[in-house]
Amino acid sequence: MLADLAAKVELATGFGLSLVRREEAQDSLVEFCSSRLRRHLEATDRVLYAVAAGAEETRLLVRSLRLQHEMIQSRVARLARANTADEVNEAAHATLTLLRACAEIERLLLLPALAELPGVELPDLAEDVFTLLACGHLDVPDVLDVREIPHGRRHPRIFGIYARLAPGESFVLINNHDPKPLHRQFQATYPDQFGWTYLETGPAQWRVQIAKSLLEA
């Protein structure tokens, strides 16, 4: 992704381009950012960031990375509106610089942290990312029973399943206690952007339907 974006940026910001060639290169760069780059950001967020958001150790890191994603989208919007060579140059290089920074943070901090989280398998996450990049659909279980999963592994597992949901989809969580701490964690991570419906409230088991809002992700 970085190499392809860098090549597009170099072409769109090259010296001596005629007005027609500059506009063509700008249009090609905007189209690339609006399709492939956007899909890359969405897949990374939906899989890697969503899982990492479910762990205390990586939650703040994810917030920082998501802010950088917002900045990238803002620069792409500026690029689409750019009317001069200087504006194209500034927006294009800012987009590339921000994406490089995200990639370095993911490589140096996020991926090693994910590898240390209980219940997280990096090859499985990578496969999910590639599936989304290929415009595929992630399979989600209708029911997730975490009663036999050790406590330290439950939340990353739950957030991993939630990450697989498309907007409007849901799954039923089965637990052996009221998952109020999980609800607080969801609210901190996805404030007012998810559905939480109790289907059964003990005493032997709790069942909660967790849905991804149509406005979320």
Side-chain angles (χ1 to χ4, degrees), residues 78-115:
R78 288 188 191 180
L79 178 64
R81 297 192 304 267
N83 293 316
T84 68
D86 286 343
E87 290 175 349
V88 171
N89 186 72
E90 187 279 330
H93 283 288
T95 300
L96 180 59
T97 298
L98 286 166
L99 185 64
R100 280 175 172 158
C102 279
E104 279 296 284
I105 293 171
E106 290 165 4
R107 182 178 67 86
L108 296 175
L109 299 177
L110 182 65
L111 292 179
L114 281 171

Side-chain angles (χ1 to χ4, degrees), residues 34-184:
S34 300
S35 55
R36 284 189 58 193
L37 176 57
R38 180 180 179 181
R39 192 158 61 245
H40 169 82
L41 296 178
E42 289 175 347
T44 301
D45 187 280
R46 185 173 166 189
V47 177
L48 300 181
Y49 294 5
V51 173
E56 191 72 31
E57 306 93 308
T58 47
R59 190 174 302 137
L60 291 179
L61 178 60
V62 168
R63 289 180 186 174
S64 174
L65 285 166
R66 282 175 166 163
L67 285 175
Q68 288 194 249
H69 276 203
E70 292 177 8
M71 293 170 65
I72 290 173
Q73 297 288 15
S74 174
R75 297 312 187 278
V76 171
R78 288 188 191 180
L79 178 64
R81 297 192 304 267
N83 293 316
T84 68
D86 286 343
E87 290 175 349
V88 171
N89 186 72
E90 187 279 330
H93 283 288
T95 300
L96 180 59
T97 298
L98 286 166
L99 185 64
R100 280 175 172 158
C102 279
E104 279 296 284
I105 293 171
E106 290 165 4
R107 182 178 67 86
L108 296 175
L109 299 177
L110 182 65
L111 292 179
L114 281 171
E116 295 297 321
L117 290 180
V120 172
E121 298 291 340
L122 286 183
D124 293 342
L125 296 184
E127 184 176 345
D128 286 349
V129 170
F130 290 138
T131 296
L132 292 177
L133 290 177
C135 299
H137 180 77
L138 300 179
D139 294 328
V140 181
D142 294 328
V143 176
L144 176 63
D145 188 341
V146 299
R147 290 175 294 181
E148 300 302 320
I149 299 176
H151 281 277
R153 295 175 175 264
R154 291 184 182 184
H155 285 198
R157 172 65 172 159
I158 293 165
F159 272 82
I161 295 300
Y162 182 81
R164 287 170 160 260
L165 295 176
E169 292 183 340
S170 66
F171 68 96
V172 174
L173 171 70
I174 300 178
N175 205 350
N176 52 12
H177 66 271
D178 189 347
K180 288 182 179 179
L182 178 67
H183 182 271
R184 289 195 294 269

